[in-house]
Amino acid sequence: MPLYLVFEISMLLTSICAVLLAGWLLWQGQRQPGMPALAGFAAMMALWCAGHIAILHQWPQLGIALVLANPLMPMCFLHFALQFVAAGRPLSSRLKVLQRQIPLLYGFTCLLIALSWLFNGGKIIVTTGFSAFFAFQGLGWLNLVYTVLLGIAAHGVLLYGWRHHSGNRRRSIGAMFIAGGWGLLLATSFIFPSLGLTWYPYPMLLLPSYLLLLVYGVVRYQVLAINAFANKALLWFCMLLVVLALMALVSAMLGQFGMQALSAVPALQLWLYSALLLLLSAACYQPVAALARRLIYPGVTLNEALLERWRLQLQQTESWSELAALGSKLLSQQLRMRVAVHLPQTQAVAAQLQIHCQRGAEGWHYELKGWDDVTPGYRLQGEVFAALLLSSCRILEQSLKLAEAERKRLDQQHLVELGALSAAMAHELRNPLNIIAMAAASTADDTRQHIQQQLKRADRLIADLLSYSGQLQLQLTTVPLNALLQSLIQQHNWQGVSCQLDVDEQLLITADVYRLQQVIVNLLDNALAFCRNQSGAIIKLQAQQQDTQLLLYVHNNGPAIASEQHSSLFQPFVSKRAGGSGLGLAIVRRIMQAHGGEVNHRTDLGWPVSFELRFNLNTEDTADE
């Protein structure tokens, strides 16, 4: 194969790709900064390559004019670089001056190109592999130097942007640097004949890759739609190269098989026919693919508009039940058959066709049940819809988690505000209660006694509010647990209930004595309230040491607590006792948490009701014992 023909094919491919990319950038990149200027760069590269093709086909004047227009290519790239770097970040004062001079630079560039044309800045020479190739002369050298200076200025702007940007824009600039270095290496061979070097410009054969790398590196992170376009373009480009290679092989072998007529066909014509056939195949690909889908999957009406509508509707749901109902409705309407969608926390619905979406250890997955006997077209629609449903499940799961976190935050904030308000109100209530107590001193004995009982009850409620809403500041001391419990038992009015104590006299506990007494008194009062009206009532205090923990139990043989109440036992303002504030057990839990311990309700210790207090013991206390 003649080397000049290989060069012509490379220039032709570069020119075609450049024109396509310029049109694409003007169409899709209008909202992106600098894309029109980048489209101008691609268009000028197409004209520059077309100039070399014109020279090969004996159109020297047109070819020289197009190649000497070379400065417009780096000029457009400089314009693009300034706009690209300025997006999202202000330019330095020098670059702002350069940006204001862009119209003047365009004018000077066009003037220099016109002078190069007027004073014959280029000529045609014979060099290795070519009967006609471009070479600079006279004012053309100024044209070349100016082109190089513009390129240096553009890359200087990119260097500034790389230092001051981050993220995708910085990555794009890095890709431009890599592509720029590759382009410089390829373009170096262009001036070999002008320097008197008779080397064949092999690097220029790879120019199509330079354009693809440069433009793809720029728009890869900025115009997402270009990624799919570049993927298809690269696929068809590779297919074209394969076809060209196959045609060259077939052309060389036709003569050996006696096909002299075919072997006499010029290679260029075979390649053109092959390229035309490939382009026709690309144009027919979509309709043929659509026809194949209809033959294989009859009845399928899936399209991008329908999928987008499904996706938007599914993502607007706010609960699992709503998502399941909407999913069932959409797919049933599409297939004109009843389809049931089963999601977490939704009730099962009987239907022949079912889609089950579940979250497993490895993430979300779906399962189609009852779809084995449907047509392939229906099965395909079910698979596609299930994939969309999975995506909506992931989004809904994240949305519900965020909503739950926000609800907890608001609840916590509300509790803090309520605690502050409760503390303030409790303090304010003590003043009118004191006035009532003093006023009751002059009343009859029965009335005074009744008022004092109610005042004690109110005072107890206020104390509970202050204990729950205020800040706990512990004064820790080490005391014998048995002696502490004995003193509490002796002070209590048991009203006929038997109180038993099973605690080792040597057992010590480190705690705030006042707060610990408050915990035990609250538990004893609760137990006494439910036991005192039954015969044989027993309340038992029991303690033991287990490893590095001290366990204190408060048992009673009163009525067992209903199972539906277990989850709310320690919540504030929840009380099943007449006259209770609903804060007793909540205060117990708060005090235990302040001690670094915990309180639990137990039903597996042989008593109808047991409360377990767990205190952590440090190693020093254990060693002393």
Side-chain angles (χ1 to χ4, degrees):
M1 182 189 307
L3 290 177
Y4 77 88
L5 191 56
V6 178
F7 179 83
E8 183 179 357
I9 293 173
S10 176
M11 293 296 100
L12 180 62
L13 288 177
T14 305
S15 183
I16 293 173
C17 291
V19 170
L20 292 176
L21 286 171
W24 175 268
L25 290 171
L26 287 176
W27 179 33
Q28 292 288 341
Q30 294 179 359
R31 297 182 180 180
Q32 298 292 330
M35 292 305 164
L38 187 61
F41 166 79
M44 290 310 304
M45 178 166 246
L47 292 177
W48 185 79
C49 294
H52 287 284
I53 296 174
I55 291 173
L56 289 175
H57 285 272
Q58 306 302 319
W59 296 331
Q61 297 301 322
L62 175 62
I64 291 175
L66 291 177
V67 173
L68 286 177
N70 182 48
L72 276 175
M73 193 166 21
M75 183 63 236
C76 290
F77 191 75
L78 174 62
H79 188 192
F80 158 75
L82 285 168
Q83 291 181 314
F84 189 79
V85 170
R89 184 176 294 274
L91 295 173
S92 65
S93 57
R94 292 183 179 179
L95 291 184
K96 286 182 180 179
V97 172
L98 181 60
Q99 190 176 36
R100 289 194 294 267
Q101 302 303 321
I102 286 295
L104 183 62
L105 287 175
Y106 270 114
F108 181 77
T109 302
C110 293
L111 176 62
L112 181 59
I113 293 173
L115 292 175
S116 301
W117 291 344
L118 184 60
F119 293 100
N120 298 324
K123 62 181 179 179
I124 305 300
I125 64 172
V126 178
T127 186
T128 302
F130 298 93
S131 59
F133 198 84
F134 177 86
F136 288 103
Q137 68 176 3
L139 197 60
W141 288 104
L142 179 60
N143 181 295
L144 177 63
V145 172
Y146 180 70
T147 300
V148 173
L149 291 178
L150 287 177
I152 293 174
H155 285 79
V157 173
L158 293 179
L159 177 61
Y160 171 86
W162 186 83
R163 293 175 57 185
H164 292 83
H165 279 283
S166 60
N168 285 340
R169 196 161 294 273
R170 183 186 177 100
R171 296 186 188 99
S172 294
I173 294 174
M176 281 187 269
F177 266 104
I178 296 174
W182 178 244
L184 179 64
L185 178 64
L186 300 181
T188 302
S189 59
F190 162 63
I191 62 172
F192 286 168
S194 302
L195 298 175
L197 302 175
T198 58
W199 301 342
Y200 184 82
Y202 286 104
M204 290 186 68
L205 302 182
L206 299 177
L207 272 177
S209 65
Y210 162 62
L211 185 65
L212 290 176
L213 283 175
L214 179 63
V215 178
Y216 187 60
V218 173
V219 301
R220 173 181 172 84
Y221 305 101
Q222 308 302 323
V223 184
L224 296 181
I226 198 68
N227 294 317
F229 170 78
N231 183 52
K232 293 180 181 179
L234 183 61
L235 173 64
W236 289 106
F237 176 71
C238 293
M239 290 180 63
L240 180 61
L241 291 181
V242 170
V243 168
L244 293 179
L246 289 176
M247 292 306 300
L249 179 62
V250 169
S251 178
M253 297 179 61
L254 286 176
Q256 299 181 7
F257 288 99
M259 301 180 184
Q260 302 298 330
L262 290 177
S263 63
V265 178
L268 178 59
Q269 293 184 15
L270 289 176
W271 286 332
L272 289 176
Y273 296 153
S274 301
L276 180 60
L277 181 62
L278 192 62
L279 291 175
L280 289 175
S281 301
C284 298
Y285 174 78
Q286 291 294 345
V288 172
L291 178 61
R293 282 196 298 269
R294 291 190 177 184
L295 292 176
I296 298 175
Y297 302 109
V300 177
T301 57
L302 293 178
N303 52 60
E304 293 185 2
L306 177 62
L307 296 180
E308 182 66 14
R309 180 168 58 85
W310 278 352
R311 184 184 67 82
L312 292 176
Q313 290 181 335
L314 291 174
Q315 290 182 3
Q316 290 175 358
T317 56
E318 299 180 353
S319 66
W320 294 113
S321 58
E322 184 182 354
L323 179 59
L326 179 61
S328 176
K329 176 183 176 182
L330 292 177
L331 192 54
S332 298
Q333 290 176 348
Q334 175 69 12
L335 301 182
R336 295 182 177 85
M337 298 175 62
R338 173 64 175 166
V339 181
V341 174
H342 297 162
L343 301 177
Q345 305 177 15
T346 59
Q347 295 181 352
V349 179
Q352 180 182 357
L353 302 181
Q354 299 180 11
I355 298 178
H356 292 255
C357 294
Q358 298 176 345
R359 200 188 197 308
E362 298 181 355
W364 284 92
H365 64 278
Y366 68 84
E367 181 181 2
L368 300 183
K369 294 185 178 180
W371 294 75
D372 296 334
D373 295 332
V374 300
T375 63
Y378 279 30
R379 175 83 183 193
L380 175 64
Q381 293 181 85
E383 295 276 358
V384 172
F385 189 85
L388 285 176
L389 199 59
L390 277 191
S391 176
S392 299
C393 286
R394 297 187 187 97
I395 294 174
L396 179 59
E397 181 184 37
Q398 294 297 323
S399 176
L400 292 177
K401 286 182 179 179
L402 292 175
E404 179 65 16
E406 179 65 14
R407 186 190 64 79
K408 289 182 178 180
R409 186 189 68 81
L410 293 176
D411 288 346
Q412 184 68 22
Q413 181 180 353
H414 178 68
L415 286 176
V416 172
E417 294 172 351
L418 183 60
L421 178 62
S422 300
M425 291 300 296
H427 282 293
E428 291 296 328
L429 284 174
R430 288 192 183 275
N431 292 330
L433 290 177
N434 290 333
I435 296 174
I436 294 173
M438 290 186 294
S442 59
T443 60
D445 291 342
D446 292 342
T447 303
R448 183 172 62 253
Q449 185 178 2
H450 179 69
I451 292 175
Q452 287 176 348
Q453 289 178 352
Q454 296 303 317
L455 287 175
K456 288 181 180 179
R457 180 186 175 191
D459 189 67
R460 178 66 181 273
L461 292 174
I462 292 173
D464 286 348
L465 276 174
L466 289 174
S467 297
Y468 186 75
S469 61
Q471 293 184 351
L472 294 181
Q473 296 180 352
L474 303 181
Q475 302 293 329
L476 300 180
T477 56
T478 301
V479 296
L481 181 58
N482 184 287
L484 176 64
L485 298 178
Q486 284 281 9
S487 65
L488 291 177
I489 292 174
Q490 293 173 4
Q491 298 173 14
H492 227 72
N493 179 14
W494 293 106
Q495 304 177 30
V497 177
S498 173
C499 183
Q500 301 175 2
L501 181 63
D502 181 13
V503 178
D504 190 340
E505 294 183 356
Q506 304 300 320
L507 197 58
L508 302 178
I509 185 171
T510 300
D512 185 308
V513 176
Y514 170 73
R515 296 298 184 183
L516 180 58
Q517 290 176 346
Q518 192 175 3
V519 167
I520 298 171
V521 167
N522 281 352
L523 293 177
L524 292 177
D525 285 347
N526 276 346
L528 185 61
F530 290 100
C531 291
R532 62 190 174 195
N533 294 326
Q534 68 180 35
S535 59
I538 300 175
I539 296 176
K540 184 175 182 179
L541 296 172
Q542 186 181 15
Q544 64 181 10
Q545 184 175 337
Q546 187 180 81
D547 297 330
T548 60
Q549 287 188 325
L550 187 148
L551 307 181
L552 175 59
Y553 297 97
V554 181
H555 308 290
N556 72 79
N557 62 350
I561 301 174
S563 58
E564 60 268 15
Q565 299 175 15
H566 290 178
S567 61
S568 61
L569 274 178
F570 300 99
Q571 293 181 4
F573 309 113
V574 177
S575 177
K576 297 299 179 181
R577 187 180 63 166
S581 65
L583 289 173
L585 292 179
I587 292 172
V588 169
R589 183 180 64 174
R590 187 146 188 256
I591 294 175
M592 290 301 298
Q593 290 175 344
H595 280 82
E598 59 183 29
V599 57
N600 298 300
H601 170 248
R602 300 283 296 273
T603 58
D604 57 343
L605 300 178
W607 293 78
V609 180
S610 297
F611 285 95
E612 177 189 66
L613 304 175
R614 285 181 172 266
F615 295 89
N616 293 320
L617 298 175
N618 55 42
T619 55
E620 294 181 0
D621 294 338
T622 305
D624 292 339
E625 294 174 4

